[in-house]
Amino acid sequence: MYSIIVVPPPTTEDGPARTQYRLAPGERLAFGRSVPEGGLRIGHDGVSRRAGEIAAHGTFWTLSNLSAHQTYVVENPEGAGEHIKVAPGRLDAPVPFEFSRIVLPAAGDLLPVEVWAPRHDYLREEDGTDGEPTAPAFSVDRTKRYFAVLAALCEPRLRGAPHAPLPTTDQVVERLRPAWPAASRTSVQWNIDYLAVKLRLKPGPETAEPGPRLNGKKESLVSLALRFDLVREDDLVVLAAPSGRALR
């Protein structure tokens, strides 16, 4: 079963469908300006003859940088700016992203090689497990208004602008109006404060000591939500006008 798909940089010779290389677990794909038959040839003078090698390992892949002096960057196009750097000579560096873009610096150009790792393996739940279930790390209800507020805060960065400024409270209010017509600055700010307590970014009101003021509250909430996938792009549907049900 193929687990890794590699899409080379676009060229003027590409047709409507670009060439793809499919790797099964244990297979390797060499790439560079001059590679053996079956490898990925990148015809650019700025690319090393033996630039690197991609290896498939089930649900993930590794990258070997065979160049002598050039660092490679592997980006997560769907994330909030996540990337890793693979130093010259580094072998079998594991890449944690499902969708990745290897950026090859080549004499003033940046050549993208896309790598997809769509295979997901999951632990199968066994029946009859003894003991109490494990409490979730973060408990959020996607039907509640506080989640819609969190989704509105995360939206600009989930839409592909990882360093976008966060929306103001007024912008959040306007964004929520289709699903929550009664939204106001006061209600949105209350939900932001509630989220800060719920996600344990600040102590709750029942504590003896209120603790220090949380600066950058919205930034902290968005950073936590995106880092742990509390809000995904699919969740942005909560911002649309509801069909038959409203946020509670």
Side-chain angles (χ1 to χ4, degrees), residues 2-246:
Y2 296 117
S3 63
I4 305 298
I5 301 172
V6 181
V7 183
T11 68
T12 56
E13 299 175 355
D14 286 333
R18 289 164 61 185
T19 301
Q20 296 181 359
Y21 296 79
R22 297 172 181 265
L23 305 181
E27 293 183 338
R28 307 179 79 91
L29 177 69
F31 62 90
R33 195 169 82 249
S34 178
V35 293
E37 184 178 355
L40 167 53
R41 181 180 178 277
I42 302 176
H44 193 295
D45 291 342
V47 176
S48 300
R49 289 180 175 82
R50 294 181 67 247
E53 191 174 65
I54 294 167
H57 295 275
T59 59
F60 74 101
W61 57 283
T62 61
L63 174 64
S64 295
N65 183 348
L66 304 181
S67 69
H69 306 290
Q70 187 59 64
T71 294
Y72 298 157
V73 174
V74 184
E75 301 174 337
N76 176 11
E78 294 196 319
E82 295 97 338
H83 68 277
I84 63 172
K85 295 190 289 187
V86 182
R90 172 72 190 275
L91 300 178
D92 290 321
V95 178
F97 311 132
E98 179 179 351
F99 301 102
S100 308
R101 180 187 297 121
I102 307 172
V103 182
L104 304 176
D109 295 324
L110 296 177
L111 305 180
V113 177
E114 297 177 4
V115 183
W116 308 336
R119 173 176 158 181
H120 294 173
D121 291 344
Y122 294 98
L123 179 68
R124 301 182 66 178
E125 294 286 348
E126 298 293 340
D127 295 332
T129 303
D130 295 331
E132 293 296 323
T134 303
F138 303 102
S139 178
V140 294
D141 185 339
R142 285 167 167 76
T143 68
K144 300 297 185 182
R145 288 173 176 169
Y146 68 75
F147 185 79
V149 171
L150 185 59
L153 290 172
C154 295
E155 182 179 29
R157 297 184 182 180
L158 282 172
R159 294 292 191 192
H163 304 294
L166 298 185
T168 65
T169 301
D170 287 336
Q171 289 171 329
V172 172
V173 170
E174 289 303 314
R175 186 68 182 92
L176 292 173
R177 283 277 163 77
W180 183 11
S184 66
R185 284 179 54 86
T186 301
S187 57
V188 165
Q189 190 58 54
W190 185 92
N191 277 278
I192 291 174
D193 291 338
Y194 176 74
L195 280 163
V197 174
K198 184 175 182 62
L199 299 181
R200 299 188 290 279
L201 294 178
K202 62 178 294 186
E206 71 280 357
T207 58
E209 298 182 3
R213 178 180 176 84
L214 180 63
N215 294 318
K217 188 183 307 180
K218 291 192 296 184
E219 184 70 44
S220 298
L221 285 171
V222 170
S223 176
L224 180 73
L226 296 181
R227 184 180 303 124
F228 291 101
D229 284 340
L230 302 186
V231 182
R232 301 181 176 90
E233 190 171 358
D234 291 347
D235 293 319
L236 298 181
V237 296
V238 302
L239 303 177
S243 56
R245 66 179 180 86

